[in-house]
Amino acid sequence: MLSASVLLASCADMMELALDLDELAAEAENASKNGGEPPIPRNVILIIGDGMGVPQVYASVVAARGNNSAFLRFPYSGFSRTYSLNKYRTDSSAGGTALTTGHKVDNYHVNWAPDSSRHRTIFDDAVAVGMSTGFVVTSSVLDATPASTYGHVPYRKMFDTLSLQMSQCQHSVMIGGGAKYFFPENRKDGTSPLDTLLRRGYTLVYSMDSTLNFKGDKLVSLLYEGDPLTEPARGDVLRPASLKAIEMLDRNPKGFALMIEGSQIDWACHNNDSAYMHAELADFELMLNAVLDYAEREGNTLVVVTADHETGGLTLPDGDIEKGINNPRYLWGSHTGCMVPVFAYGPGAEYFSGIHENTDIPNIIRWLLNL
């Protein structure tokens, strides 16, 4: 039986969602009265900088020498409140769930409600209307954020279950690390999700060259046995992998929904390692510029950039603007409850301005895509 506190939290979450959708409906009605309709983008690219709060973004802007930063290309920005259903400080699984489903859940849960029901994602909804979907990450493909695009588990480290769920999902392209979790000899259940993927028509590759040279429609690229290497040791991976995913998904005339994660900004800030953080942010900037270049050329792609939470309690007490130097300081080695930034470009970008719940982001995307 559910406790009173869980029931109250669940009811509050549902009422909040209903109010959010009512507000969006009112905006659509006003647009219609004024002779317009809310835009319907052909594609949406949701980009998550794991652990990337306002200080991390500004560190990136400074390091990129100001006007060279991709973040300054976004015409609209806002903030997202990141708390989970049961904690002031969210973890990445609850944060990822909020950003992909529109529901707050307890920490460590992936698309898993308090009553054990499973939340649908915007990627499920996109597939249902004929769109193509996928993800690109610099973590294991089973890590919390990518898992939130396809998985449903009560604990984020149920890797055997998540790999089976991934092998049965509808994504057209999945790129990241974590190959070791897919081989029978490394699994408690002795099964092979790779066999399931092969039977379902996916091509499996294990290198960037093979990824970039792939010509088919269904790809799983497991670039590392465990988690991907840190930047710069892994080289330029996030940008070309993201462009490859876009190239594949863009073939669908009905459009696509893609999630891209700069996973290791979070890891760097957990370690309070400024050089590591700056390298990951520079890698993130390369990808952002490439995605925005595509969106500008294509003309009907919504790009939304945000974070699941801030990590490290980062502050920037000093630095040098002209030299592109930051002198970061950290509060500790864990997440904080601070709001995180939201940036948007393309059709409907204006609806991401202001202060939102993290759950608003996928619901606005649903509304704009008419899902």
Side-chain angles (χ1 to χ4, degrees):
M1 180 178 294
L2 295 178
S3 68
S5 61
V6 169
L7 283 170
L8 286 171
S10 299
C11 290
D13 198 32
M14 291 173 65
M15 291 174 64
E16 178 184 291
L17 174 58
L19 288 171
D20 292 340
L21 295 177
D22 286 345
E23 289 175 2
L24 291 175
E27 290 183 20
E29 184 177 353
N30 289 336
S32 180
K33 288 178 180 178
N34 293 326
E37 291 292 337
I40 301 178
R42 174 177 177 265
N43 313 311
V44 61
I45 303 175
L46 174 63
I47 302 175
I48 299 172
D50 199 310
M52 186 182 73
V54 171
Q56 285 83 355
V57 169
Y58 191 62
S60 189
V61 170
V62 170
R65 304 295 177 95
N67 292 335
N68 295 318
S69 173
F71 288 106
L72 302 185
R73 296 176 63 181
F74 289 91
Y76 296 97
S77 60
F79 292 96
S80 167
R81 301 173 66 192
T82 64
Y83 62 94
S84 69
L85 186 60
N86 69 333
K87 297 291 183 182
Y88 182 81
R89 291 185 292 121
T90 189
D91 81 314
S92 290
S93 53
T97 295
L99 292 173
T100 60
T101 71
H103 294 275
K104 289 185 182 287
V105 298
D106 292 348
N107 282 3
Y108 307 115
H109 291 194
V110 177
N111 302 340
W112 192 273
D115 63 359
S116 299
S117 62
R118 303 180 179 194
H119 294 307
R120 284 181 62 85
T121 72
I122 54 174
F123 302 96
D124 296 326
D125 296 336
V127 168
V129 297
M131 299 173 71
S132 296
T133 62
F135 67 80
V136 178
V137 297
T138 53
S139 67
S140 162
V141 295
L142 306 179
D143 208 13
T145 308
S148 70
T149 70
Y150 63 80
H152 301 85
V153 290
Y155 180 54
R156 59 183 284 182
K157 294 188 181 294
M158 296 173 65
F159 297 135
D160 280 6
T161 301
L162 284 170
S163 56
L164 288 172
Q165 291 177 350
M166 193 187 105
S167 73
Q168 297 160 355
C169 79
Q170 298 300 314
H171 287 320
S172 298
V173 56
M174 296 173 271
I175 303 176
K180 66 181 181 181
Y181 298 107
F182 289 82
F183 294 105
E185 59 269 25
N186 297 328
R187 300 171 56 85
K188 293 178 181 178
D189 59 13
T191 63
S192 175
L194 298 178
D195 290 342
T196 301
L197 288 164
L198 289 170
R199 284 195 302 270
R200 298 184 61 225
Y202 287 87
T203 296
L204 308 177
V205 301
Y206 303 94
S207 71
M208 272 303 294
D209 284 345
S210 297
T211 300
L212 298 180
N213 291 326
F214 178 69
K215 302 300 182 185
D217 297 321
K218 299 176 72 174
L219 174 68
V220 174
S221 178
L222 300 173
L223 299 174
Y224 304 90
E225 182 178 355
D227 290 318
L229 300 172
T230 60
E231 178 61 36
R234 68 174 177 267
D236 186 9
V237 170
L238 185 60
R239 179 188 61 85
S242 298
L243 290 177
K244 183 63 181 182
I246 290 170
E247 172 198 316
M248 290 178 56
L249 299 175
D250 198 30
R251 299 169 192 158
N252 186 344
K254 293 186 177 180
F256 67 81
L258 172 66
M259 189 281 286
I260 303 171
E261 184 192 34
S263 316
Q264 297 188 39
I265 300 167
D266 174 65
W267 304 355
C269 292
H270 274 297
N271 293 342
N272 292 178
D273 187 329
S274 297
Y276 184 5
M277 178 191 74
H278 278 106
E280 292 298 327
L281 288 168
D283 192 45
F284 196 79
E285 289 259 9
L286 287 174
M287 175 273 296
L288 273 188
N289 272 315
V291 169
L292 286 171
D293 288 346
Y294 162 79
E296 287 181 358
R297 291 192 308 270
E298 196 277 334
N300 198 19
T301 296
L302 171 66
V303 180
V304 180
V305 181
T306 190
D308 46 1
H309 53 75
E310 192 276 338
T311 301
L314 180 69
T315 60
L316 303 170
D318 200 7
D320 189 311
I321 296 291
E322 292 185 359
K323 295 180 180 179
I325 294 173
N326 300 287
N327 294 319
R329 299 291 184 272
Y330 299 89
L331 172 67
W332 63 353
S334 190
H335 302 172
T336 68
C338 297
M339 292 192 296
V340 297
V342 181
F343 301 90
Y345 173 92
E350 63 272 22
Y351 293 103
F352 295 89
S353 296
I355 296 177
H356 295 277
E357 294 289 345
N358 52 7
T359 52
D360 293 344
I361 292 172
N363 287 324
I364 296 172
I365 291 172
R366 281 187 171 107
W367 175 67
L368 291 171
L369 294 177
N370 198 25
L371 297 178

